[in-house]
């Protein structure tokens, strides 16, 4: 009885950019609804709508960060996090050696 209505979470899947482009093209043709395309390819509507939205941003039809800008932002955030960790390590090392010399 407890399991009624509870769905197992879907395992996270990844798709190639070519596959996403094909799905976006199907959506933009207008032959079928986004919901129908998502159902036909066993995708979530949210994912398909996000892919269509990102394709519109990349094409300059909508405001937002392009895919390349998103990739660059993610890389800069990773680098920033790594540099902050390096600075933190250096601060602790400086404090440690300052105590040792006293």
């Amino acid at each position: 009885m407890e399991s009624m209505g509870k769905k197992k979470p879907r395992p996270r899947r990844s798709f190639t950019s070519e596959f996403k482009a094909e799905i976006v093209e199907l959506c933009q043709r207008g032959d079928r609804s986004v919901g129908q395309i998502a159902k036909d390819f066993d995708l979530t509507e949210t994912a398909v709508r996000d892919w269509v939205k990102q394709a519109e941003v990349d094409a300059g039809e909508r405001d937002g960060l392009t895919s390349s800008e998103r990739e660059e932002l993610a890389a800069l955030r990773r680098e920033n996090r790594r540099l902050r960790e390096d600075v933190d390590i250096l601060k602790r090392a400086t404090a440690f050696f300052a105590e040792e010399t006293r």
Side-chain angles (χ1 to χ4, degrees):
M1 284 293 206
E2 289 181 26
S3 64
M4 288 182 62
K6 290 185 181 179
K7 295 168 78 176
K8 283 188 175 179
R10 179 187 290 226
R12 188 160 187 92
R13 301 180 292 173
S14 61
F15 302 97
T16 64
S17 55
E18 292 82 14
F19 177 77
K20 291 178 185 180
E22 288 178 27
I23 297 296
V24 168
E25 186 179 328
L26 287 173
C27 292
Q28 290 174 339
R29 269 195 229 149
D31 300 341
R32 295 181 278 178
S33 70
V34 171
Q36 187 60 47
I37 292 170
K39 186 182 285 185
D40 291 347
F41 288 90
D42 190 30
L43 303 166
T44 63
E45 270 190 67
T46 305
V48 174
R49 289 185 195 285
D50 286 346
W51 296 347
V52 170
K53 180 180 170 185
Q54 189 61 51
E56 291 171 353
V57 169
D58 290 345
E61 300 168 5
R62 182 186 280 241
D63 288 339
L65 294 177
T66 63
S67 295
S68 61
E69 290 171 333
R70 284 182 183 277
E71 290 171 14
E72 181 182 10
L73 181 59
L76 290 171
R77 285 182 172 162
R78 279 191 303 273
E79 181 182 7
N80 194 5
R81 185 174 54 247
R82 186 187 58 79
L83 291 172
R84 286 179 190 270
E85 290 170 357
D86 290 351
V87 167
D88 187 48
I89 289 169
L90 290 172
K91 282 181 181 178
R92 284 188 270 145
T94 302
F96 174 79
F97 288 115
E99 280 294 316
E100 286 290 312
T101 58
R102 287 186 186 174

